[in-house]
Amino acid sequence: MTKKQILLWGAFCLLFVTLFASCRKAGAGKPIQVEPQNSAQTAVSPPGSEKKEEKAQGPDCTIVRGDQSSKAVTDAAVELRKKLESLGLTVDLKTDWVKRGEEIVPFPGEIQVGRTNRPESEAMYARMDADPEPFDYLISVGDVMCVSCEDDSAMDAVALFAEEYAKRRADESGYGSKEFERRHEFDRKLVIGGESFVRFSVTSGKSGPEQYAAAELKKYLKKMGLYEGEGASFSLTLDLSLNRDSYAIVPGENGEISVTGGNGRGVIYGAYAFLEHYAGARFFMPGVETLGSGDIAVNEPFVHDMIFEMRQSDWQCGNSDVDWCLKNSINQREIPASKGGNIKYGGFVHTIASLAGTDSKSQPCFSDPEILDTVIASVRAMLERDPSITIVSVSQNDNQNYCTCSKCREIDREEGSHMGSLLRFVNAVAEDIEDDYPDVIIDTLAYQHTRQAPKITKPRDNVCIRLCSIECCFSHPLNDPSCSVNAAFKKDIEDWNQICDRIYIWDYVTCFSYYVETFPNFEVLRENMRFFAEHGVKGMYPEGNYNSPQSGEFGELRCWLLAKLMQDPLMSDETYHAYMDEFLAAYYGEGWTYIREYIDWACALAAKKHMNIWNPMTSVLNVKRSERAEVLARFDECWDKAEELAGDRLDAVKRSRLQWECVRLMFSPDAERARAFLDEIERLNVRWNEWGEMPSNPNLSRSPAEW
């Protein structure tokens, strides 16, 4: 044969092999159906045309999910595609993009996953939603392929479907149509008046806060494993007969529960209170929440009237998060109106210089009528600019350089307190605005030289006295008769309670000289909060490490405990310590008991001494030199154990361990440890004290108290 003949013969053989292989491929896995063809159809197709025909036939099947599918359903649809492709099938993944009411043309081999606009899917979900014993999934394998499932069971559902779909393809005539179901096993149920429910519905009023409360309640009940549907029914509405920020939770018949609030915030607080009081949820810190366990039994009403009308937190770990503030009833932070709004100050403290246009290094003359007129004009202008302000601070500058003119001296002598001239001035401002702004309070400090109540003048009804505890001892409760340091402040608050119906407290709850060191005041917080509530206090501002982005101490624990105490200042000692243990377990992991041991040790030692807000702990935690090595070893081991058992809470344990390292270095200076300690403080963005960052070039061979 010639070279040309060889090439022609080779081309003919290649064409024959290609055609044979294409025929085999087209008939693989199923019989080839041969139909009579006329002579016009017997022409040989050109090479490659078989692939074009195969492509035109479309995929073997098409998975259709809802256009608004949850992530869980979307992920399950993608997983199902992989499983079917592993069977050798070609699979498309589509959404039900056809608008409701328009004609729906099914895709080839359509498999519906999740809630879609297809009538088959809607019918199956209607069955699932109406059944008193809810399903995890309901699957149809037959003429209509449908996977209806709850999010948590979506992966299980598609795995079962893929298995059955493979069986059906292998024996289509013998398989027929089948349906599969799995009932949900509930870990928790709503038990209302003895009747159990696993489904719930939530309705609310039309205001933003009511709707927000309903959405939050619904979200958390779902997280607790309950389903929406016909069953228990919650209504969340305003009830203006209740006091502001207060709420009532009342179970009724047939699984009905009413949650009402005296204002928008009250409704929201009521929703979270239901989750806490009945279900055992806790909102410790942003990102650290627990949802409780067991059935949610609702047998008795829970009505809560807020004792403190103003509740402010001053720890960035909590109060910088609006949702945390709402969950823990903090109402003096920037909260949008749609979430209930907040009590808003016009100016917060030490405002008199800006209002009067005077020097901030001394106090103005409070008997000068021109200064009074200027301040009144400034207050009115402020309220005109911002009608949302509810409290205006007309408060002294942060110094004790009070006016000594003859008129001020005479007033203060007559009143027996430097508060005399200040309160008469503040009353005059309050009297001027009260008719035009009946809901606005004028707030002033009773601070240092103005702390004592005057003998004659009483605050007007629209005046708030904010009493400051800066000179107090914070290792002993105010009602401790053995603490001589607190005796004067205790008398002052008792005296103010005789003449004033609106006392706020500016309390101090951390060490302002050393933010990082342990401040063992946990046994004092509850006692003092109860004392305040029993002595006419209507508002609380416990000042913490307000300007530190992070706490290297127990700021998070103290922040949450104070929030709980401001909600319920009359709680028992047992409740308070149970709260402390719950927080420690959630925040620090399984080694929390070792941290509790450290807290108890520090508080017990502190109770033997007086402690102000500037003390280094070596002056409070009185450990004999002969015992220091033993104490250091003991608490090194406690923190080591806490780290070992922390699990995913290790970072929190390490950050709070900085306080022990600070105290340890005070007891036993060590330059190498001190350098590592400071590097960690800088890395974690923990502020050294109220006034500034770490001193430059500290002598690390000395105690941190000497840096």
Side-chain angles (χ1 to χ4, degrees):
M1 297 176 67
T2 64
K3 184 175 182 180
K4 185 175 181 180
Q5 289 174 322
I6 292 172
L7 290 173
L8 287 171
W9 177 250
F12 175 78
C13 291
L14 179 60
L15 176 61
F16 178 80
V17 170
T18 302
L19 290 172
F20 179 78
S22 297
C23 292
R24 289 291 301 272
K25 183 176 181 182
K30 57 182 179 179
I32 299 176
Q33 185 174 357
V34 181
E35 297 182 2
Q37 297 178 333
N38 59 34
S39 57
Q41 294 174 318
T42 58
V44 177
S45 300
S49 63
E50 295 80 6
K51 288 189 177 180
K52 291 180 182 177
E53 290 173 5
E54 182 182 345
K55 198 168 187 179
Q57 291 173 0
D60 293 309
C61 54
T62 304
I63 298 171
V64 179
R65 64 178 179 85
D67 196 39
Q68 301 296 319
S69 289
S70 66
K71 184 178 185 304
V73 168
T74 300
D75 290 346
V78 172
E79 180 64 19
L80 178 58
R81 181 181 188 174
K82 293 177 182 176
K83 289 181 179 295
L84 296 181
E85 287 177 339
S86 71
L87 300 175
L89 303 175
T90 56
V91 185
D92 272 359
L93 181 57
K94 304 282 188 180
T95 60
D96 61 344
W97 54 269
V98 178
K99 293 181 181 178
R100 191 172 298 278
E102 294 182 359
E103 182 182 1
I104 298 173
V105 179
F107 292 107
E110 185 168 290
I111 301 170
Q112 302 164 24
V113 176
R115 295 180 187 268
T116 73
N117 61 9
R118 277 35 177 179
E120 299 84 6
S121 170
E122 291 180 333
M124 290 187 74
Y125 271 103
R127 285 172 57 195
M128 290 175 64
D129 293 341
D131 200 297
E133 297 183 14
F135 296 87
D136 282 338
Y137 54 69
L138 191 56
I139 299 170
S140 174
V141 184
D143 295 335
V144 176
M145 307 291 181
C146 200
V147 181
S148 302
C149 55
E150 297 293 342
D151 283 0
D152 291 345
S153 306
M155 285 296 184
D156 289 347
V158 297
L160 175 59
F161 178 87
E163 181 181 334
E164 293 300 321
Y165 189 71
K167 293 177 184 177
R168 183 178 184 278
R169 283 186 62 84
D171 184 13
E172 190 165 348
S173 59
Y175 187 92
S177 294
K178 295 182 182 179
E179 192 173 274
F180 301 88
E181 66 177 49
R182 188 175 78 190
R183 300 285 179 168
H184 187 71
E185 295 183 7
F186 286 89
D187 295 326
R188 311 184 75 173
K189 296 179 181 178
L190 274 166
V191 183
I192 305 168
E195 188 175 358
S196 294
F197 302 89
V198 294
R199 294 189 184 278
F200 69 92
S201 62
V202 181
T203 59
S204 73
K206 295 181 179 180
S207 72
E210 289 168 301
Q211 292 182 2
Y212 180 79
E216 285 292 282
L217 180 60
K218 185 186 301 184
K219 177 179 76 176
Y220 278 100
L221 288 175
K222 284 183 175 181
K223 285 186 176 183
M224 292 173 182
L226 301 173
Y227 287 1
E228 275 193 273
E230 186 175 345
S233 57
F234 292 82
S235 65
L236 291 91
T237 56
L238 294 171
D239 179 357
L240 300 183
S241 69
L242 298 173
N243 291 328
R244 286 186 301 177
D245 290 12
S246 299
Y247 50 83
I249 304 169
V250 181
E253 296 181 354
N254 303 316
E256 295 177 353
I257 297 177
S258 167
V259 180
T260 55
N263 56 1
R265 286 194 301 269
V267 178
I268 294 171
Y269 297 159
Y272 291 127
F274 176 86
L275 298 168
E276 286 197 309
H277 184 75
Y278 297 106
R282 298 289 183 265
F283 308 106
F284 296 116
M285 278 285 116
V288 183
E289 300 179 350
T290 57
L291 300 181
S293 60
D295 288 345
I296 303 168
V298 187
N299 297 314
E300 300 293 333
F302 179 49
V303 179
H304 186 68
D305 198 15
M306 290 289 184
I307 292 175
F308 297 141
E309 65 186 16
M310 194 278 286
R311 302 168 302 280
Q312 181 172 357
S313 175
D314 210 17
W315 303 81
Q316 289 193 31
C317 55
N319 64 34
S320 60
D321 185 280
V322 167
D323 291 340
W324 181 88
C325 291
L326 285 170
K327 290 168 183 174
N328 292 282
S329 301
I330 300 299
N331 67 359
Q332 210 289 298
R333 283 295 168 193
E334 290 294 329
I335 298 172
S338 61
K339 296 184 178 182
N342 57 281
I343 289 177
K344 187 172 184 179
Y345 266 88
F348 185 62
V349 71
H350 306 314
T351 59
I352 195 65
S354 62
L355 293 172
T358 55
D359 188 353
S360 63
K361 295 179 181 178
S362 62
Q363 309 299 336
C365 176
F366 290 120
S367 348
D368 187 334
E370 291 187 5
I371 290 178
L372 176 61
D373 289 344
T374 301
V375 170
I376 289 172
S378 296
V379 169
R380 283 183 168 274
M382 180 190 301
L383 293 173
E384 288 172 10
R385 286 193 305 271
D386 188 353
S388 66
I389 290 172
T390 52
I391 303 178
V392 177
S393 173
V394 180
S395 54
Q396 67 203 57
N397 296 323
D398 196 4
N399 61 69
Q400 300 200 56
N401 300 324
Y402 46 83
C403 179
T404 58
C405 75
S406 59
K407 196 164 186 180
C408 285
R409 280 205 317 270
E410 177 57 26
I411 294 171
D412 291 347
R413 183 198 62 76
E414 186 180 34
E415 296 277 12
S417 168
H418 291 297
M419 175 55 88
S421 54
L422 173 59
L423 184 55
R424 292 185 187 187
F425 182 91
V426 169
N427 274 350
V429 176
E431 183 179 12
D432 184 89
I433 69 154
E434 63 186 350
D435 290 339
D436 295 329
Y437 300 98
D439 296 325
V440 172
I441 303 300
I442 300 296
D443 164 280
T444 197
L445 295 179
Y447 174 55
Q448 296 183 331
H449 64 281
T450 61
R451 205 182 78 190
Q452 287 179 288
K455 295 178 180 177
I456 301 170
T457 304
K458 298 180 181 180
R460 295 182 68 83
D461 289 343
N462 61 336
V463 168
C464 170
I465 299 298
R466 195 156 31 147
L467 189 59
C468 305
S469 63
I470 195 167
E471 300 92 350
C472 287
C473 166
F474 295 95
S475 55
H476 301 124
L478 292 170
N479 58 2
D480 184 346
S482 67
C483 183
S484 57
V485 176
N486 286 338
F489 185 83
K490 178 176 180 290
K491 182 178 186 307
D492 287 339
I493 194 172
E494 290 170 342
D495 290 345
W496 277 111
N497 189 31
Q498 295 299 312
I499 65 171
C500 183
D501 290 331
R502 182 175 269 108
I503 302 171
Y504 286 4
I505 295 293
W506 185 313
D507 203 11
Y508 301 83
V509 292
T510 193
C511 178
F512 289 88
S513 294
Y514 311 100
Y515 276 163
V516 187
E517 74 171 6
T518 303
F519 193 65
N521 64 340
F522 288 104
E523 295 305 312
V524 171
L525 295 177
R526 187 196 70 86
E527 290 285 349
N528 282 356
M529 201 71 78
R530 174 181 283 272
F531 181 84
F532 294 142
E534 292 174 343
H535 288 80
V537 170
K538 295 293 191 296
M540 283 299 307
Y541 169 46
E543 185 180 16
N545 59 354
Y546 62 94
N547 54 359
S548 182
Q550 288 275 14
S551 170
E553 193 238 2
F554 289 127
E556 296 83 7
L557 170 63
R558 196 177 286 104
C559 177
W560 186 70
L561 287 175
L562 285 165
K564 301 307 289 180
L565 286 166
M566 285 189 282
Q567 290 177 58
D568 180 16
L570 302 180
M571 74 172 62
S572 68
D573 188 60
E574 292 76 17
T575 298
Y576 173 72
H577 282 98
Y579 277 146
M580 183 186 294
D581 288 349
E582 285 183 43
F583 183 97
L584 294 174
Y587 198 76
Y588 295 112
E590 291 186 12
W592 69 271
T593 54
Y594 296 100
I595 295 174
R596 179 64 196 259
E597 181 181 342
Y598 175 74
I599 291 173
D600 291 345
W601 168 78
C603 289
L605 279 186
K608 299 177 181 179
K609 304 273 287 187
H610 295 304
M611 180 177 73
N612 61 40
I613 58 173
W614 302 286
N615 283 132
M617 282 302 102
T618 43
S619 67
V620 177
L621 305 180
N622 193 10
V623 179
K624 296 177 182 178
R625 287 187 176 276
S626 60
E627 298 173 353
R628 285 186 183 176
E630 181 183 348
V631 168
L632 296 182
R634 173 186 172 189
F635 290 108
D636 279 345
E637 183 179 3
C638 275
W639 285 99
D640 287 344
K641 288 284 190 182
E643 286 190 14
E644 180 184 332
L645 298 171
D648 61 2
R649 302 304 304 163
L650 180 59
D651 288 344
V653 174
K654 285 186 171 182
R655 182 160 36 80
S656 290
R657 185 174 185 162
L658 289 172
Q659 65 186 300
W660 166 240
E661 191 66 8
C662 184
V663 172
R664 197 186 195 288
L665 289 167
M666 287 180 175
F667 283 134
S668 180
D670 181 309
E672 185 177 349
R673 292 186 74 127
R675 182 71 269 163
F677 167 69
L678 290 181
D679 288 346
E680 191 68 358
I681 285 177
E682 182 177 2
R683 185 184 74 83
L684 293 172
N685 200 19
V686 177
R687 192 178 173 92
W688 182 243
N689 60 29
E690 182 181 17
W691 308 284
E693 306 298 332
M694 173 59 60
S696 58
N697 301 315
N699 184 348
L700 299 183
S701 64
R702 310 287 294 177
S703 163
E706 300 176 46
W707 292 350

